[in-house]
Amino acid sequence: MEPSESQLDLLGDSQELSPQRKRVDGAIVFRRFTKTIKDNGGGPESYEKVIQAETQELFDCNVRELYEQTGGKIRDRSSLPQPAQEAYMVNESLSANELERMHGTIGGEDQDEVDERIKAVVQEQAKQTRKWLPW
């Protein structure tokens, strides 16, 4: 039986069902984060710039160095130590909230300017997030 978004009550009236819940993990947080970048006009190259800036603020190194220093497998965040995964999740969740709040207000003369403004939002959030981290 396939789940539906409504069910009939005893009188035959349709009732909306609560959405199914699932565990939130780093992949879900990351998808929401990248969606907010796109929704604010971020171009294809903005994702890499944003992640590099976020990583620099959170960990004082670039992405490649983070993976090399922790023994992680590039492009596989699940291979990073748990504290690093948690730092990304916290920062990207908070950044997504901020970018959702700002939706429609981030503009610029060209794509580079839009990308820089998005990067600045995430970078500023990472500075705040870093204050709560143990390193």
Side-chain angles (χ1 to χ4, degrees):
M1 182 173 153
E2 196 170 300
S4 75
E5 294 182 21
S6 66
Q7 69 181 15
L8 296 179
D9 66 14
L10 293 175
L11 300 174
D13 294 326
S14 180
Q15 296 177 335
E16 190 172 322
L17 293 177
S18 298
Q20 286 193 348
R21 297 178 185 189
K22 59 183 173 181
R23 181 178 303 273
V24 175
D25 61 18
I28 290 170
V29 171
F30 184 70
R31 277 194 299 274
R32 177 174 168 239
F33 174 63
T34 57
K35 182 182 182 313
T36 62
I37 292 171
K38 180 181 179 186
D39 290 349
N40 276 286
E45 296 170 9
S46 67
Y47 303 104
E48 183 178 344
K49 292 175 188 175
V50 166
I51 301 302
Q52 288 291 349
E54 174 188 37
T55 302
Q56 188 65 49
E57 288 296 334
L58 291 175
F59 306 110
D60 286 330
C61 62
N62 65 41
V63 173
R64 180 168 301 285
E65 290 168 339
L66 176 65
Y67 281 89
E68 287 172 357
Q69 292 172 9
T70 62
K73 181 181 173 192
I74 294 284
R75 301 193 198 292
D76 180 4
R77 283 192 179 176
S78 68
S79 69
L80 291 171
Q82 184 175 340
Q85 292 180 52
E86 290 174 0
Y88 272 130
M89 286 178 64
V90 167
N91 192 68
E92 290 171 357
S93 184
L94 292 170
S95 294
N97 287 338
E98 184 65 11
L99 288 168
E100 285 170 350
R101 189 184 68 73
M102 297 177 76
H103 186 256
T105 65
I106 297 177
E109 294 293 318
D110 57 22
Q111 189 63 57
D112 285 338
E113 193 172 329
V114 172
D115 291 349
E116 283 300 312
R117 288 182 179 178
I118 292 169
K119 183 178 91 171
V121 169
V122 175
Q123 199 167 17
E124 182 57 35
Q125 183 58 60
K127 284 179 186 177
Q128 299 305 313
T129 300
R130 173 70 184 265
K131 292 177 183 177
W132 294 96
L133 299 175
W135 54 85

